[in-house]
């Protein structure tokens, strides 16, 4: 019970902190995403050091962090070029960096690659290549997907808040349904997960996402893309809301009309999109957690770290978020931008 109290109190504290960060605006959100990314990278790399007893490998700790810096330089440089064109055009040093950004990024990575080759030691070849691969897979999982989180944020804070909230809601509701009603095991990788929790979490999350989408769609602060005002040197969140954030009337199917006696219903189109986001977050999102469970079982560890008492490491809380962020990014590119490109 003591552990449940600790988890409950810290969960409420994290939710409150989440709301506070949203209130503080896009810059704070970007800094938080970067901090979470760095901590997740550190937790996974530390496991590699510990499992493979690689603390004595020459240069490897330095090279791991060097590659992290290189990849972040590439991704954030791309973001600056895409979203802050006015600032880049105004500052001559930024024009140079933007023009040769990919060449500079490749040169930086190439320098790290050469340093790795020069660091190879005869008795440790296999171990050094293990850790080289470990670092790059970690970069793929953590840095690439955290970059997608930030790209989603620039599309409008609603594309950042709703997916993250969906995963949080599903995690909580699946736990509660499983705790009170769980009887049937779901998957061997996570013995505490049950079908009752999985199904209860799904329906609860769809309802939650639908309501949250309705509430947030009413405010420009959440629905407008995040822009940069070069005159005031500040972020701006002002726009004429796009059609998916404008209330529309929908005709219900005949079967529902006969049952509810309603012919039409007024909805924000984003509420319909939220059903698909919630469905993914409830049905496929948990597989990110199962993947993490399998990873931890493979290396015989309970948590990625002990950063948060009762919850484990930061990666333990964000294992599903990265998968959700990738789906959101793909969903925007496939169904939102594509739809408006042909309307």
């Amino acid at each position: 019970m003591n552990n449940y109290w600790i988890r409950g109190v810290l969960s409420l504290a994290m939710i409150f902190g989440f709301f506070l960060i949203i209130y503080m605006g896009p810059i704070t959100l970007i800094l938080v995403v970067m901090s979470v990314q760095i901590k997740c990278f550190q937790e996974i790399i530390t496991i590699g050091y510990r499992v493979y007893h690689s603390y004595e490998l020459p240069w490897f700790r330095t090279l791991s962090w060097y590659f992290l810096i290189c990849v972040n330089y590439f991704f954030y440089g791309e973001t600056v070029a895409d979203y802050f064109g006015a600032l880049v055009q105004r500052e001559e040093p930024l024009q140079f960096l933007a023009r040769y950004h990919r060449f500079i990024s490749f040169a930086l990575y190439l320098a790290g690659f050469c340093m790795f080759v020069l660091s190879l030691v005869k008795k440790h070849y296999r171990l050094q290549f293990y850790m080289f691969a470990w670092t790059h897979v970690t970069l793929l999982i953590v840095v690439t997907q955290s970059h997608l989180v930030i790209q989603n944020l620039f599309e409008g804070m609603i594309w950042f808040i709703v997916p993250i909230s969906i995963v949080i809601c599903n995690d909580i509701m699946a736990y509660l349904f499983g705790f009170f009603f769980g009887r049937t095991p779901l998957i061997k990788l996570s013995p505490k997960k049950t079908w009752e929790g999985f199904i209860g979490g799904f329906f609860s999350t769809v309802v939650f996402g639908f309501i949250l989408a309705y509430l947030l769609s009413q405010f420009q602060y959440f629905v407008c893309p995040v822009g940069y005002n070069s005159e005031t040197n500040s972020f701006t969140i002002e726009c004429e809301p796009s059609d998916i954030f404008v209330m529309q009337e929908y005709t219900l199917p005949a079967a529902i009309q006969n049952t509810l006696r309603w012919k039409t219903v007024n909805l924000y189109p984003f509420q319909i999109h939220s059903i698909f986001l919630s469905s993914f977050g409830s049905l496929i999102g948990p597989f990110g957690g199962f993947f993490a469970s399998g990873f931890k079982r493979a290396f015989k560890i309970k948590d990625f770290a002990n950063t948060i008492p009762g919850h484990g490491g930061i990666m333990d809380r964000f294992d599903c978020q990265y998968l959700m962020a990738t789906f959101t990014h793909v969903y925007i590119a496939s169904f939102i931008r594509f739809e408006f490109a042909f309307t």
Side-chain angles (χ1 to χ4, degrees):
M1 287 303 297
N2 184 51
N3 185 54
Y4 289 139
W5 275 107
I6 292 173
R7 291 192 65 168
V9 170
L10 285 176
S11 295
L12 291 174
M14 287 188 287
I15 291 172
F16 175 78
F18 179 60
F19 288 129
L20 180 62
I21 291 167
I22 291 170
Y23 174 77
M24 294 174 70
I27 295 179
T28 305
L29 284 170
I30 291 172
L31 293 175
V32 169
V33 171
M34 290 181 64
S35 300
V36 168
Q37 173 216 113
I38 292 170
K39 182 59 180 171
C40 289
F41 179 83
Q42 183 264 332
E43 289 177 358
I44 298 177
I45 288 298
T46 299
I47 292 172
Y49 289 146
R50 187 169 64 247
V51 169
Y52 291 111
H53 306 289
S54 55
Y55 291 99
E56 303 303 322
L57 289 181
W59 297 6
F60 216 90
R61 184 180 293 273
T62 301
L63 282 173
S64 295
W65 289 99
Y66 176 81
F67 283 126
L68 176 67
I69 293 171
C70 289
V71 175
N72 271 306
Y73 175 81
F74 171 74
F75 280 126
Y76 283 97
E78 294 284 308
T79 299
V80 170
D82 290 342
Y83 294 99
F84 306 105
L87 176 64
V88 171
Q89 293 300 321
R90 193 179 64 188
E91 302 292 337
E92 189 170 335
L94 291 180
Q95 291 180 24
F96 174 82
L97 292 174
R99 182 176 181 180
Y100 299 105
H101 172 68
R102 296 194 176 186
F103 179 80
I104 295 171
S105 299
F106 177 71
L108 290 172
Y109 178 83
L110 200 60
F113 179 81
C114 292
M115 284 190 287
F116 167 73
V117 174
L118 292 173
S119 73
L120 291 172
V121 179
K122 187 174 183 180
K123 295 182 179 181
H124 299 289
Y125 288 156
R126 180 179 297 181
L127 180 57
Q128 286 179 287
F129 278 100
Y130 276 155
M131 292 306 299
F132 185 78
W134 187 288
T135 299
H136 281 66
V137 171
T138 304
L139 291 171
L140 176 65
I141 293 173
V142 175
V143 182
T144 304
Q145 297 186 78
S146 66
H147 174 67
L148 298 182
V149 173
I150 292 177
Q151 286 202 322
N152 296 341
L153 169 63
F154 279 109
E155 295 294 329
M157 290 181 66
I158 196 168
W159 293 105
F160 174 88
I161 297 169
V162 170
I164 286 180
S165 301
I166 282 170
V167 173
I168 294 172
C169 174
N170 182 253
D171 192 35
I172 294 172
M173 298 310 297
Y175 174 80
L176 291 176
F177 274 91
F179 182 83
F180 289 107
F181 307 107
R183 296 291 184 274
T184 312
L186 175 63
I187 186 170
K188 291 182 179 180
L189 284 173
S190 297
K192 294 182 180 180
K193 304 291 185 182
T194 64
W195 276 104
E196 291 80 3
F198 186 75
I199 295 170
F202 167 73
F203 287 107
S204 301
T205 303
V206 170
V207 172
F208 169 81
F210 193 78
I211 295 173
L212 183 63
Y214 170 79
L215 295 174
L216 298 187
S217 294
Q218 303 176 49
F219 301 96
Q220 281 192 13
Y221 182 75
F222 297 118
V223 304
C224 290
V226 178
Y228 180 79
N229 189 324
S230 59
E231 296 179 358
T232 60
N233 289 325
S234 62
F235 287 100
T236 59
I237 310 179
E238 297 178 358
C239 69
E240 184 68 29
S242 63
D243 290 343
I244 65 170
F245 302 113
V246 176
M247 186 73 75
Q248 297 183 24
E249 186 177 71
Y250 292 90
T251 301
L252 294 172
I256 298 178
Q257 288 184 31
N258 296 332
T259 303
L260 300 178
R261 304 299 180 184
W262 292 347
K263 292 185 177 181
T264 62
V265 63
N266 293 324
L267 296 173
Y268 292 103
F270 182 73
Q271 290 180 267
I272 299 174
H273 292 296
S274 76
I275 295 174
F276 294 101
L277 294 174
S278 297
S279 297
F280 179 88
S282 302
L283 300 177
I284 307 299
F287 280 83
F290 301 152
F291 177 86
S293 296
F295 178 88
K296 289 182 284 188
R297 284 179 175 274
F299 296 102
K300 299 179 181 179
I301 55 176
K302 184 178 183 295
D303 298 308
F304 283 95
N306 56 0
T307 309
I308 311 171
H311 289 270
I314 299 295
M315 191 64 196
D316 290 288
R317 294 297 92 206
F318 284 85
D319 46 12
C320 300
Q321 293 288 3
Y322 285 130
L323 193 60
M324 186 70 198
T326 303
F327 173 75
T328 303
H329 182 79
V330 172
Y331 189 89
I332 292 172
S334 302
F335 301 106
I336 305 302
R337 289 181 186 160
F338 183 83
E339 179 181 336
F340 281 100
F342 289 90
T343 57

